[in-house]
Each structure stands twice: as structure tokens, then as C-alpha cells.
């Protein structure tokens, strides 16, 4: 039962309902929320629809960090909407340029022992500060802001025992890459990873946050470190020592599973295209010519990362064939490297400095050239995500990135003969709070008018689940489909996040450009639904609810897959799409594009907890499906989605 672990203690102190037994449905109180602009506009539209006067959390922060190209009115319209909504409802606002939500939250707001729900899959970054931080769809974050608890199945708590000491040139990034190598992108589904052992004493809070950040790539619910003296020193340097509480695992804490990593045996690792779990030692892929290198993203662009990268670059030049960029994770990190001279070192070495934002990580600028090789300190390298469909993106530590930038090819950094450098944490960080807007007092807030530019379109309304679904297979996809496949981001599509009608034109755009046309044709035949067939770990990656909302708008009513990723599974339910799982995985082959399907008596069967039979009318075969849904999720599905469910609950109360 994992009693006595850090994760268990925090969940226990926030438990609203349920038992902390793996697999049981629990509800936990949420202390803090965060949103970012790409998921935030929808989240706040949904929050507004809930009719609450002011956020009910201890702290809610709205960050603007994803959509910042501002090629026309769309992004700035969204920013203005977000700024006015924040003022109206008692929410902190982090202006564009202040940095990436996870990095800034860690610096300025994360608190040991608290819970955080964020509309971004890398919210677990704050687990580096000893908090339970979970990524979710915007609608669930909106509910948390309205004071609702967060529902989930109690995960298993896996202890990751870090033994020994990291050798030089091996860093926090290599620890999480090693876990990805061992467990794969679906190895963490239904699990919380809790780190312990003497190895954690060597890791500063931002380094711990690199590990908890990329736990998202394991599919984990979240990851967490204890709150110890290292946490305290970091908070002191942030001028927030009063936020510190000690939270250590009990000496007899029992984990549901234990994984051991001997740090002294690790070496520099790299994730090869196109998956974060395609991990090999750097030495195995040496010699590959490199076109671009970038240090940034919420995984590895803290002050520690940037300072060490600069020290390694001192007196050296970026290879003439390489374009090297640095995107500091926060304004605070940028201020620090300005003060300590690291910024000048980057400039002298020939680096290009990008804004403190997500930027290239989500295909917002700095795309690689055709077929180009890009080495990045990021967390995701899904095909096409960089903006260049045939680019080859590798993921590695900032230190490996620097080595590749100098050598012009992939190289084990230990071969360059550069001495390793240690980075001391500063006694005091420049807080850099100038780009925050504080919440207004309640009376003043009530007078604020919300700005809605023409890019903000109202949410479409959805009907309840029919008794039976009559439909057609409109798409068949393989294993590990990401939300980037389903609802791509990037400079062209991301600005449409506040307009479901426009963005739904791009569903599965790069996988099958005809999908939208086909889906609409099926949707527009009266009473017909689209059904998608998928493989393992369907919907891995981001928390973007647009990957459920837009398909729902196109008439998708069910996805039948071998297994699902956690956040996407929840998003499907929240937008009224039934996630069904094959009882026998080999049945995946019993479908072809265009097959006519009937799912009879669906509503009753869900309510009665019975297996679902899908009849393939084209072949005459019957396929048995199961589902992994809590009672609450079933009632949400029946209503056609979470918003309908909330509205009907309010209606009953009235
Ligand atoms: C991502 O890294 O894919 C994103 C962009 O941050 C997403 C959120 C989004 O799609 O807006 C995430 O990780 O949840
Ligand atoms: Fe931004 Fe990339 Fe982090 Fe997502 S993974 S929050 S896009 S930096």
C-alpha cells in the first residue's frame, strides 16, 4: 500500500474520497493550479461556463509561454483574454517572456507537501520540490479552480532507488533517459515514481525537476522527490524559506515496486528519433553530422543547465556547420546568466539567443532544415513535432548538446578533453517577479470586463451518449500514437487553439490528410458516428484536450485501442468519446477502413459494467471490448462529457 512514502503522505493529507489502494478511484483536494496559454484559453472558457465568482484554490497561475510568435492578432488576442480573465477571477498572470510555466512555477510557487494540477503534461516538474503535481486536461483544471477535487485511479507508488554517485559528464537527464530505456514510453502508466537513496543528495532542485519533468514521457501519473535540506536551501535562495516543510519517506516505507539505478554505472545517453525511449549510449551514435543544437525547454533550461553549458563552452566556438541556440527557461534564469557572464560566453561562442518560452520544443520557430539532425535538451522528439516532417531530433543533456555543437557531430562529450565543471547554487536568486501580474482584490476583480477578440470562439455543444452507436471505421492507427499526431501543434496550428471549428480542420493532418473530409462525411450522415481503431498507448504525450475535443466535433464517438495513455483517456471521457479496449488484442486486425460497425446497447452495458460487443457489420464478426472507467467517468460519458455532467449536476441542485 506504499504507506510511509512521500507520495502516500501527501495524497493521504489531501484525500477527499476513496481508499489509497492501487486501482481504486480516489478524489484529492487541489491546492494550486497552473495553465498555459495553449490549453488555458479553453480551460478559462470552461471555467467561465461553471459560473464561479473567484478561483477557490490557494493559488492559481496563468502562464503565457507557448503561443508567442504573434504573427497576427490571434496570439495577442488570446493573451489579452487570458490577462483579463486572470484579473477577473483572482488568478496570477505570468506575462509572455517571463518563462516556461514549469520552470517559473518551480522557482516562484511550488511548495513541498502541496498538490498542483496543471493543464500541461509536464506539470510533474514541480515534483522536484516534493509536491504532488499532476498534468490534466484544461476542463479538469477548470473544475479544480472551481473547487472540485481531482479524480483519478490511485496509482502504484514505485520507489526509484538512486545508489552511488554520478560520474562526471553524466547528469540528471541521463537518469531519466536510463529509466525510459528500461521501461519505455508506456512503462509508467498508472504509476507514481518516487526517488530516494543517497544518490538524491547530489541533485539540486532544478536537477530533480529535470527527472520529474521527463517522468511524463514514461506515461507516469507523476514523479516526486522528498523535501529535504536541499529543497530548503533552494527555497531560501528564492526568498521563500517559509514555504519549506520537511517530507521524507519513513525508514520502513514500503513501495509497491522498487527500481534500482547505480548512478556510478551510468554514461551519457541520447534518445534517438522519433521517441524519447529510443535511448542508447551517446558513443553508439557518434559521428552523425549535426545541423542544429538547442538548449532549452521545461526539461533542461534552468540556471544550472545554462551556467554549466556556458562554462564548458568558455573559450570555444560553435562548429561552423552548426546553428546553436539557447532558450533560457525563465526570466530569472536569463537574469542570472546575464549577471554571471554565461550569456556573454554563449554570444562569444556564436550562439543564437531565443526567447524564454517553449519555442522550438513545440515547433514555434527554429525548425531544423529538411532531413536535418537536431540535438536538443528537450523531452519529446516525436516525428514532425519540430515543424520539419523529415527532421531527425535527438534528446540529450545540455552538456552532450554543447559537445555536439562544438564537434559538429554527435560525440561522447568525454572525448573532447574538456574538464568537467561543477555549478554552485547561488545564495540568492534574482526573483525576477516583474513580469507577474498579481490577482486583484475581490471587489475590484468583480468590475473587470473580459476581453474577447475575434479568435476566441464559443465552445460547441455536444449531445448525450446514444443508446447504441452506429458508425464507420474512419481511421486505423498503430502503437504509441501521440497527441501531436492527433492534433498537431506548431506555428500554423497552435494559434487556432481558441477556435475549435478552425483547429478541427487539422485533426490527424500529417498522418492522413483525408481524415477530416472523411470524418465530416460520416458525421453528416444522420445518426452515423466515426470510430477510430488504435494500438497500444493511444494518445501518449501532451495534455491537450483539443486532441479529444476536435475529434468529437468531427463526430468521433468511440476509440477502440489496445491501451490508452492516462491524460488522453481522461480527455476522451471528458468530451464524450468512449475509450474501449480490445479484450483480445489480436482482434485489432479484425477491422479495415470503412467497415460499418454497430455497438448495440452501449449505454446500458456501461451502466451495468458489462463487456461491450462491437459488431463489424461488414465482416459479420463480433469483437469483445472492455473499458477502464470509474463510476464517475461512466456517468460523465452518459451525459456526453464533463461540461454537460457539471451543468446537469448544477441543474439538479437548483
Ligand atoms: C507539449 O509539450 O506537448 C505541450 C505543448 O506543452 C502540451 C500542452 C499543449 O498541447 O498545449 C503538453 O505537454 O501537455
Ligand atoms: Fe513547453 Fe516543450 Fe515543456 Fe511542453 S514540453 S511545456 S512545449 S517546453
Amino acid at each position: 500500500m506504499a504507506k510511509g512514502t512521500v507520495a502516500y503522505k501527501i495524497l493521504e493529507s489531501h484525500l477527499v474520497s476513496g481508499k489509497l489502494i492501487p486501482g481504486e478511484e480516489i478524489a484529492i483536494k487541489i491546492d494550486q493550479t497552473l495553465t498555459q496559454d495553449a490549453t488555458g484559453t479553453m480551460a478559462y472558457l470552461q471555467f467561465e461556463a461553471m459560473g464561479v465568482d473567484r478561483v477557490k484554490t490557494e493559488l492559481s497561475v496563468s502562464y503565457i509561454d507557448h503561443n508567442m510568435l504573434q504573427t497576427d492578432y490571434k496570439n495577442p488576442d488570446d493573451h489579452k483574454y487570458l490577462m483579463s480573465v486572470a484579473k477577473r477571477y483572482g488568478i496570477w498572470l505570468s506575462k509572455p517572456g517571463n518563462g516556461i510555466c514549469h520552470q517559473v512555477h518551480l522557482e516562484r510557487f511550488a511548495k513541498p507537501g502541496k498538490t498542483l494540477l496543471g493543464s500541461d503534461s509536464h506539470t510533474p516538474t514541480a515534483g522536484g520540490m516534493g509536491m504532488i503535481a499532476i498534468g490534466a486536461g484544461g476542463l479538469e483544471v477548470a473544475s479544480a479552480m472551481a473547487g472540485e477535487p481531482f479524480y483519478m485511479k490511485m496509482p502504484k507508488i514505485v520507489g526509484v532507488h538512486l545508489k552511488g554517485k554520478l560520474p562526471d559528464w553524466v547528469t540528471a537527464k541521463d537518469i531519466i533517459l536510463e529509466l525510459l530505456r528500461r521501461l519505455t514510453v508506456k512503462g509508467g502508466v498508472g504509476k507514481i515514481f518516487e526517488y530516494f537513496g543517497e544518490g538524491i543528495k547530489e541533485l539540486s532542485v532544478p536537477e530533480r525537476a529535470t527527472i520529474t519533468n521527463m517522468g511524463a514521457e514514461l506515461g507516469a501519473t507523476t514523479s516526486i522527490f522528498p523535501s529535504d535540506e536541499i529543497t530548503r536551501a533552494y527555497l531560501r535562495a528564492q526568498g521563500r524559506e517559509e514555504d519549506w516543510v520537511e517530507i521524507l519517506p519513513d525508514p520502513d516505507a514500503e513501495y509497491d515496486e522498487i527500481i534500482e539505478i547505480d548512478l556510478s554505472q551510468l554514461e551519457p545517453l541520447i534518445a534517438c528519433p522519433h521517441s524519447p525511449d529510443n535511448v542508447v549510449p551517446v558513443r553508439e551514435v557518434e559521428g552523425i553530422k549535426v545541423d542544429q543544437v538547442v538548449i532549452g525547454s521545461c526539461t533542461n533550461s534552468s540556471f544550472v543547465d545554462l551556467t554549466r553549458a556556458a562554462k564548458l563552452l568558455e573559450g570555444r566556438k560553435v562548429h561552423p556547420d552548426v546553428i546553436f541556440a539557447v532558450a533560457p527557461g525563465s526570466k530569472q534564469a536569463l537574469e542570472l546568466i546575464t549577471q554571471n557572464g554565461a550569456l556573454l560566453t554563449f554570444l562569444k561562442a556564436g550562439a543564437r539567443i531565443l526567447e524564454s518560452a517553449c519555442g522550438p520544443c513545440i515547433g514555434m520557430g527554429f525548425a531544423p532544415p529538411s532531413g536535418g539532425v537536431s540535438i536538443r535538451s528537450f523531452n519529446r522528439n516525436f516525428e514532425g513535432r519540430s515543424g520539419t516532417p523529415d527532421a531527425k531530433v535527438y534528446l540529450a543533456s545540455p552538456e552532450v548538446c554543447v559537445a555536439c555543437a562544438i564537434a559538429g557531430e554527435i560525440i561522447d562529450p568525454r572525448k573532447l578533453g574538456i574538464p568537467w565543471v561543477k555549478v554552485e547554487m547561488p545564495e540568492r536568486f534574482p526573483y525576477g517577479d516583474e513580469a507577474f501580474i498579481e490577482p486583484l482584490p475581490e471587489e475590484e476583480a468583480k468590475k473587470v470586463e473580459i476581453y474577447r477578440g475575434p479568435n476566441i470562439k464559443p465552445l460547441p455543444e455536444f449531445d448525450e451518449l446514444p443508446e447504441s452507436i452506429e458508425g464507420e471505421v474512419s481511421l486505423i492507427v498503430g502503437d504509441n500514437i501521440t497527441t501531436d499526431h492527433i492534433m498537431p501543434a506548431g506555428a500554423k496550428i497552435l494559434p487556432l487553439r481558441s477556435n475549435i471549428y478552425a483547429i478541427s480542420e487539422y485533426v490527424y493532418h500529417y498522418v492522413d490528410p483525408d481524415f477530416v473530409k472523411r470524418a465530416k462525411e460520416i458525421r453528416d450522415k444522420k445518426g452515423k458516428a466515426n470510430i477510430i481503431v488504435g494500438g497500444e498507448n493511444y494518445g501518449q504525450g501532451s495534455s491537450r484536450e483539443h486532441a479529444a475535443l476536435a475529434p468529437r466535433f468531427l463526430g468521433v464517438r468511440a476509440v477502440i485501442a489496445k491501451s490508452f495513455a492516462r491524460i488522453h483517456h481522461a480527455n476522451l471521457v471528458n468530451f464524450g468519446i468512449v475509450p474501449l479496449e480490445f479484450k483480445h488484442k489480436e482482434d485489432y486486425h479484425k477491422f479495415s477502413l470503412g467497415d460499418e460497425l454497430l455497438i448495440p446497447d452501449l449505454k446500458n452495458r456501461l451502466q451495468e459494467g458489462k463487456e461491450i460487443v462491437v459488431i463489424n457489420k461488414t465482416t459479420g464478426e463480433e469483437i469483445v471490448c472492455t473499458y477502464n472507467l470509474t463510476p464517475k467517468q461512466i456517468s460523465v460519458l452518459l451525459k456526453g462529457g464533463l461540461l454537460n455532467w457539471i451543468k446537469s449536476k448544477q441543474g439538479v441542485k437548483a
Side-chain angles (χ1 to χ4, degrees), residues 105-336:
H105 205 84
L106 186 76
E107 292 165 353
R108 304 309 298 143
F109 295 118
K111 267 193 198 181
K114 297 282 179 185
T115 55
L116 166 69
L117 194 72
S119 62
D120 192 283
S121 65
H122 290 104
T123 303
T125 312
M129 184 73 91
M131 70 191 300
I132 289 282
I134 300 178
L139 186 46
E140 303 208 56
V141 177
S143 308
M145 288 189 285
E148 291 286 322
F150 175 66
Y151 289 82
M152 64 173 172
K153 282 205 170 170
M154 174 65 188
K156 281 190 179 166
I157 300 177
V158 180
V160 186
H161 188 176
L162 301 184
K163 291 181 156 174
K165 225 171 140 343
L166 285 172
D168 290 351
W169 292 100
V170 184
T171 65
K173 180 64 154 260
D174 300 302
I175 299 176
I176 188 64
L177 287 177
E178 169 65 8
L179 270 178
L180 277 153
R181 188 185 69 78
R182 291 194 201 174
L183 304 179
T184 81
V185 287
K186 58 184 168 71
V189 177
K191 295 176 181 175
I192 293 178
F193 289 81
E194 178 171 321
Y195 292 80
F196 70 100
E198 71 272 21
I200 68 169
K201 299 201 183 100
E202 299 281 322
L203 298 169
S204 65
V205 168
E207 289 166 315
R208 293 173 177 188
T210 291
I211 296 173
T212 55
N213 170 284
M214 225 178 149
E217 274 50 71
L218 292 165
T221 303
T222 190
S223 304
I224 191 165
F225 275 80
S227 168
D228 56 11
E229 285 301 326
I230 293 171
T231 324
R232 181 184 206 162
Y234 179 80
L235 280 169
R236 188 185 309 126
Q238 291 284 357
R240 322 197 263 128
E241 194 174 0
E242 69 282 4
D243 286 348
W244 183 73
V245 282
E246 188 174 60
I247 314 173
L248 305 176
D250 294 343
D252 59 351
E254 273 185 29
Y255 294 93
D256 293 313
E257 275 171 42
I258 293 229
I259 296 173
E260 282 187 357
I261 301 183
D262 182 351
L263 301 182
S264 65
Q265 296 302 309
L266 291 184
E267 60 175 311
L269 298 172
I270 192 162
C272 300
H274 299 287
S275 180
D277 62 359
N278 195 6
V279 174
V280 297
V282 177
R283 62 186 159 75
E284 282 185 19
V285 284
E286 275 182 326
I288 295 174
K289 289 281 291 165
V290 167
D291 296 288
Q292 61 162 220
V293 175
V294 50
I295 297 178
S297 91
C298 56
T299 317
N300 273 121
S301 59
S302 70
F303 145 80
V304 188
D305 293 322
L306 301 179
T307 305
R308 184 153 45 224
K311 286 195 173 170
L312 297 172
L313 259 177
E314 233 155 49
R316 297 182 176 82
K317 286 258 173 309
V318 170
H319 190 277
D321 295 341
V322 174
I323 309 291
F324 175 58
V326 177
S330 65
K331 185 165 101 42
Q332 180 184 92
L334 179 56
E335 268 188 59
L336 256 167

Side-chain angles (χ1 to χ4, degrees), residues 380-442:
R380 287 184 176 145
N381 59 345
F382 304 141
E383 202 169 359
R385 179 173 158 106
S386 63
T388 303
D390 59 356
K392 297 177 197 72
V393 175
Y394 293 76
L395 308 171
S397 66
E399 294 76 9
V400 169
C401 287
V402 165
C404 297
I406 296 170
E409 58 184 41
I410 299 183
I411 187 167
D412 184 325
R414 296 170 296 189
K415 296 218 175 120
L416 279 177
I418 303 175
W420 179 245
V421 287
K422 280 214 153 32
V423 176
E424 295 301 328
M425 289 305 271
E427 291 285 313
R428 181 167 282 300
F429 285 94
Y431 307 149
D433 289 341
E434 298 77 12
F436 280 117
I437 307 176
E438 279 189 47
L440 284 180
E442 200 157 349

Side-chain angles (χ1 to χ4, degrees), residues 36 38-39 66 119-122 362 380 385 484 497 542-544:
Q36 41 89 341
T39 55
H66 279 61
S119 62
D120 192 283
S121 65
H122 290 104
I362 191 61
R380 287 184 176 145
R385 179 173 158 106
D484 282 283
R497 284 286 182 96
S542 82
S543 70
R544 66 189 71 148

